[in-house]
Amino acid sequence: MIVSLPKLPVWISAALLWPVTPLIAQEPVNDTAIVENTDLSDAPVTAWGSVLQMLPQGFENILPGGPVHILFVLALLFLSRRSGPLIWQLGLFALGYISALTLGAYGIISISPQVVFPLMAVSVVILAIDNIFGKVFGMRRVILVFGLALIHGFGLANGFDASVPAILPALVGYIIGIEMALLLVAAIVGISIWEAIRVDQGVNEVLQSYAIYGVLAAAALALIALNPPFLVAILHQPIWVFAAPLTALFALCALSVTMRDRIDAYHHIVAVPVSAAMIGLCLYWWLAPILL
């Protein structure tokens, strides 16, 4: 049996709906005004909303928009063979770029992209040269990393939207997005080179390394073949642009495992060729605007 309920008076209905009115209107409700505008585009942006709004922008400024920042982090990875010095250098890089990014975001110091981009490429070349010739700067490399990180921070500041209403939460979201992208790249590359280093040191098993590199290479080749549309939409590039260099790196690491009896196989087979490729790529970035 269906029971029909009597209609409630208007004032009772209004009283019952009053507690959820702020959720419907998306605007603060007070006792003296009735909210008439329910347009979500006019709703105030909360601190958490600013974080979420800028997080993707920070990620995209690294992947795919910041290859020079990626190369800088990779240059740190390819030299350090112990976790302690690597963590110190990555921490100083984060401290340096966040400091400069903050100064740039608040408009205290700003450097034109035409100036800062070549300087960022120079920073990669400096570290790559140090990787090839082996600790050219010694203990001074730590100070050098921090100084070069400042340059990258000013570069990242050029991609920050300072017009957001809540700049500090937006800056936090922007930095979180940057760190997520950098950590993703560092994790993928770090697994492969760490395995090669451990085999070169006689710690890890050779067959285990071949299995790891086989799985990683197969995954990269599968992504190239499938070219998933959702990844293309995220990276704004065909998958091979990122997967092909990774496949080459996996092959070099596997070769270094095969040549493990050679003195310093990892350095000669992996670190030196990759660092040389970094230098060549940075030279291309310098010369392409002039020659093309």
Side-chain angles (χ1 to χ4, degrees):
M1 181 178 64
I2 300 175
V3 179
S4 59
L5 297 176
K7 294 183 178 180
L8 296 176
V10 174
W11 66 270
I12 296 179
S13 301
L16 293 175
L17 290 175
W18 179 257
V20 298
T21 302
L23 299 178
I24 300 173
Q26 294 292 316
E27 291 187 6
V29 178
N30 54 50
D31 293 334
T32 59
I34 298 176
V35 177
E36 296 180 355
N37 184 7
T38 60
D39 186 2
L40 296 180
S41 62
D42 295 334
V45 179
T46 63
W48 180 243
S50 297
V51 171
L52 296 179
Q53 178 183 349
M54 294 300 295
L55 191 150
Q57 185 175 337
F59 189 94
E60 291 179 359
N61 273 349
I62 301 298
L63 280 174
V68 67
H69 306 300
I70 294 174
L71 291 183
F72 188 88
V73 171
L74 295 185
L76 296 177
L77 293 176
F78 282 110
L79 180 67
S80 302
R81 301 194 182 193
R82 293 179 301 166
S83 58
L86 176 60
I87 292 173
W88 269 103
Q89 292 185 58
L90 291 175
L92 285 173
F93 171 69
L95 178 63
Y97 91 75
I98 290 174
S99 300
L101 172 57
T102 303
L103 293 174
Y106 280 95
I108 299 174
I109 300 176
S110 61
I111 302 179
S112 169
Q114 288 74 19
V115 175
V116 74
F117 183 80
L119 292 177
M120 290 190 294
V122 168
S123 72
V124 174
V125 171
I126 291 173
L127 291 187
I129 291 174
D130 194 28
N131 291 349
I132 292 174
F133 295 101
K135 298 182 179 179
V136 175
F137 300 100
M139 293 300 296
R140 292 171 294 181
R141 180 179 170 104
V142 175
I143 302 174
L144 178 68
V145 167
F146 179 79
L148 297 177
L150 294 174
I151 298 174
H152 285 261
F154 289 122
L156 289 167
N158 288 317
F160 178 76
D161 183 9
S163 64
V164 292
I167 188 168
L168 181 57
L171 185 59
V172 171
Y174 188 68
I175 292 172
I176 292 174
I178 291 171
E179 286 296 312
M180 288 175 61
L182 290 177
L183 289 175
L184 175 62
V185 174
I188 296 173
V189 176
I191 291 172
S192 60
I193 65 176
W194 181 252
E195 185 66 24
I197 291 173
R198 299 287 284 175
V199 171
D200 195 30
Q201 295 173 344
V203 178
N204 286 8
E205 294 290 336
V206 174
L207 292 179
Q208 171 186 303
S209 299
Y210 285 144
I212 291 174
Y213 294 132
V215 170
L216 291 174
L221 292 174
L223 287 175
I224 293 175
L226 296 175
N227 200 35
F230 75 95
L231 284 180
V232 174
I234 293 173
L235 299 175
H236 306 290
Q237 296 287 344
I239 300 303
W240 70 264
V241 173
F242 300 94
L246 286 175
T247 305
L249 174 62
F250 301 149
L252 288 175
C253 290
L255 180 61
S256 74
V257 171
T258 304
M259 304 288 292
R260 61 192 177 279
D261 294 331
R262 179 179 174 178
I263 297 177
D264 211 358
Y266 166 77
H267 176 73
H268 291 98
I269 297 176
V270 180
V272 170
V274 173
S275 298
M278 290 181 182
I279 295 174
L281 187 56
C282 289
L283 290 176
Y284 170 77
W285 286 336
W286 286 338
L287 298 176
I290 300 174
L291 300 179
L292 301 180

